[in-house]
Amino acid sequence: QVQLVESGGGLVQPGGSLRLSCAASGRIRNIDIMGWYRQGPGKERELVASISSDGSTNYADSVKGRFTIFREDAKNMVSLQMSGLKPEDTAVYYCHAKLTPFGFPYRDYWGQGTQVTVSS
């Protein structure tokens, strides 16, 4: 069974930095896209950043220049380095992957979510 397990998150002051990491475990044949979504209070879930297997990245306009996504394929991991954090970045952050497990079809997987709170 495939699982995405997140780490990182927490409370940080405005202007601070945090790093989120996510590891995919299980019998995985191939990981296509990995990324991070977030859902703030009273808001819909939105894409923060994603990275494809060829290394191409996609960022939400609101985080460009502040967040960096990278992946380590040997470890089936994706990380999100966040800097210049703002109160509006406060949200639950979810790891996401599009992958193919052995013996099962290509589909989306989600982590359980990790809280990021930006406040003084």
Side-chain angles (χ1 to χ4, degrees):
Q1 183 175 356
V2 173
Q3 288 185 315
L4 301 183
V5 179
E6 299 136 339
S7 60
L11 174 64
V12 64
Q13 293 186 341
S17 299
L18 276 177
R19 178 169 169 165
L20 306 180
S21 294
C22 172
S25 64
R27 299 184 70 246
I28 298 170
R29 177 180 177 183
N30 171 261
I31 300 179
D32 183 10
I33 298 172
M34 301 189 82
W36 293 89
Y37 285 70
R38 68 185 181 188
Q39 187 166 14
K43 298 181 180 179
E44 294 187 354
R45 191 174 297 191
E46 62 176 356
L47 173 69
V48 177
S50 64
I51 182 167
S52 300
S53 56
D54 65 0
S56 58
T57 57
N58 183 36
Y59 292 93
D61 287 342
S62 60
V63 307
K64 285 180 180 176
R66 299 189 297 123
F67 292 9
T68 302
I69 189 170
F70 54 96
R71 60 191 280 174
E72 298 176 72
D73 288 335
K75 298 179 180 180
N76 288 340
M77 289 186 65
V78 63
S79 297
L80 184 70
Q81 180 66 45
M82 306 183 291
S83 60
L85 284 161
K86 305 175 181 179
E88 51 264 43
D89 293 318
T90 295
V92 178
Y93 284 69
Y94 296 91
C95 179
H96 169 259
K98 289 183 176 287
L99 61 86
T100 306
F102 281 102
F104 294 90
Y106 177 80
R107 51 159 282 195
D108 294 85
Y109 287 83
W110 294 90
Q112 78 282 1
T114 185
Q115 178 70 44
V116 172
T117 302
V118 185
S119 175
S120 56

